[in-house]
Amino acid sequence: MFPVSLRMPLEMAPFGGWGTLAAFLSLLCCRGSGEKAFEGPERLMVGSGEFQFINCTASCTDPKRLVLETALNKTVLESQAQWKLFKVYNISKDEELLCSSTCGGKQETKVFHITVFYPPKQVLLTLSPTSVAVGTLFTIECRVSAVAPLEGLTVTLLRGTDILWNQTFVGTALSPQDAVVTHNTTAHREHGLYNFSCEALMDLRSRGGGLVHRVSDPQRLEVKEPMPSNQLVTIITILVVLLLLLVTFVLLYRYWWRPHHN
């Protein structure tokens, strides 16, 4: 069994980094001496600006050369004769990392394809209007800012814990863009008793990534009772009377007061 003495700050990347390290250490501690060390998946998803652990392993026990070829900043966290564990920093675009070793005069290589994604960091829920009468329509809008790719992103609108609406996006564009979900619904009395919220879930497991989950701040809808019909009639009557008085005043001024004062 190889000794392990990793010392590093407890940072958390959305995917890949610590998961790769955990899997590597698990196999490293539990494997027999004749088994091959964990190398990690060949395709990885990494959040923009994040880091990734890469383990380069040779097929022989005493390689003459064992390196990770990349222009990115990297450090060796742990190494033995047959393998090296690297931490690659500040990954901001798609990259190909090349593990290279020489065994018995023969060069061996393995390529790690890294795809950068933009996780949902800001989820904003808007109710419009924020105050409505029972039986009237209002709009719920959820905006997930600057995410990519949209494929695998599901946005769910919630009232309390009840799902009002959800939408799974499609599309393979890798440039970040806003994802917007809008839902119109009718206000009920019980809507004023619950918080509204929005959840964004990015699922990239099929592409070598993992899950990222973000929730908006809760919003409360003010639900008012509709105006009674008799009160509405009273208000309309008052407005009509005021309008008639205004018209009467204008006519009196035009046809009586002004001619007598000129």
Side-chain angles (χ1 to χ4, degrees):
M1 182 181 300
F2 295 113
V4 177
S5 57
L6 298 182
R7 295 180 178 89
M8 61 194 74
L10 193 59
E11 308 171 344
M12 290 302 293
F15 298 126
W18 289 102
T20 301
L21 178 62
F24 168 69
L25 294 179
S26 174
L27 289 178
L28 183 65
C29 295
C30 303
R31 66 189 181 91
S33 59
E35 297 180 7
K36 190 175 182 180
F38 174 74
E39 293 182 338
E42 295 182 359
R43 296 190 178 275
L44 300 166
M45 298 289 292
V46 180
S48 177
E50 299 293 343
F51 64 86
Q52 178 66 46
F53 294 107
I54 299 291
N55 175 247
C56 293
T57 303
S59 62
C60 58
T61 58
D62 188 21
K64 300 300 181 185
R65 179 174 175 269
L66 182 56
V67 296
L68 175 64
E69 297 178 11
T70 176
L72 297 172
N73 293 330
K74 65 181 186 292
T75 57
V76 177
L77 298 179
E78 184 74 6
S79 66
Q80 294 291 332
Q82 192 179 358
W83 56 264
K84 288 182 180 179
L85 178 64
F86 295 89
K87 183 179 180 180
V88 183
Y89 298 88
N90 299 325
I91 303 173
S92 59
K93 62 183 181 68
D94 294 356
E95 299 280 353
E96 288 190 351
L97 310 183
L98 181 66
C99 280
S100 178
S101 62
T102 302
C103 288
K106 181 180 178 181
Q107 185 175 6
E108 300 174 347
T109 59
K110 179 176 180 178
V111 179
F112 292 87
H113 302 274
I114 293 183
T115 301
V116 168
F117 73 95
Y118 296 81
K121 293 183 177 180
Q122 184 180 42
V123 181
L124 179 63
L125 180 74
T126 304
L127 303 178
S128 179
T130 57
S131 178
V132 293
V134 172
T136 58
L137 286 175
F138 69 100
T139 301
I140 309 170
E141 180 185 280
C142 181
R143 180 178 296 271
V144 185
S145 301
V147 290
L150 287 181
E151 182 183 13
L153 177 67
T154 299
V155 176
T156 304
L157 304 179
L158 298 168
R159 183 197 66 195
T161 57
D162 296 334
I163 296 176
L164 296 176
W165 185 263
N166 61 20
Q167 180 176 336
T168 298
F169 288 81
V170 296
T172 57
L174 295 179
S175 57
Q177 54 190 298
D178 290 358
V180 181
V181 172
T182 302
H183 179 60
N184 297 316
T185 187
T186 302
H188 300 284
R189 289 180 178 86
E190 61 270 20
H191 283 167
L193 303 175
Y194 299 94
N195 286 327
F196 289 83
S197 60
C198 175
E199 294 183 349
L201 180 67
M202 177 177 277
D203 185 354
L204 297 174
R205 289 174 294 182
S206 63
R207 304 175 68 169
L211 294 171
V212 171
H213 179 253
R214 294 288 184 274
V215 183
S216 70
D217 291 333
Q219 302 290 334
R220 184 64 69 95
L221 181 70
E222 181 184 7
V223 181
K224 300 178 292 188
E225 291 296 327
M227 187 177 296
S229 58
N230 57 343
Q231 184 178 353
L232 183 61
V233 170
T234 301
I235 292 175
I236 293 175
T237 302
I238 292 173
L239 290 175
V240 169
V241 170
L242 291 175
L243 181 60
L244 289 174
L245 288 174
L246 178 62
V247 171
T248 301
F249 175 79
V250 171
L251 291 175
L252 286 174
Y253 173 78
R254 181 175 181 181
Y255 293 104
W256 182 81
W257 189 85
R258 191 172 63 175
H260 287 76
H261 291 79
N262 289 335

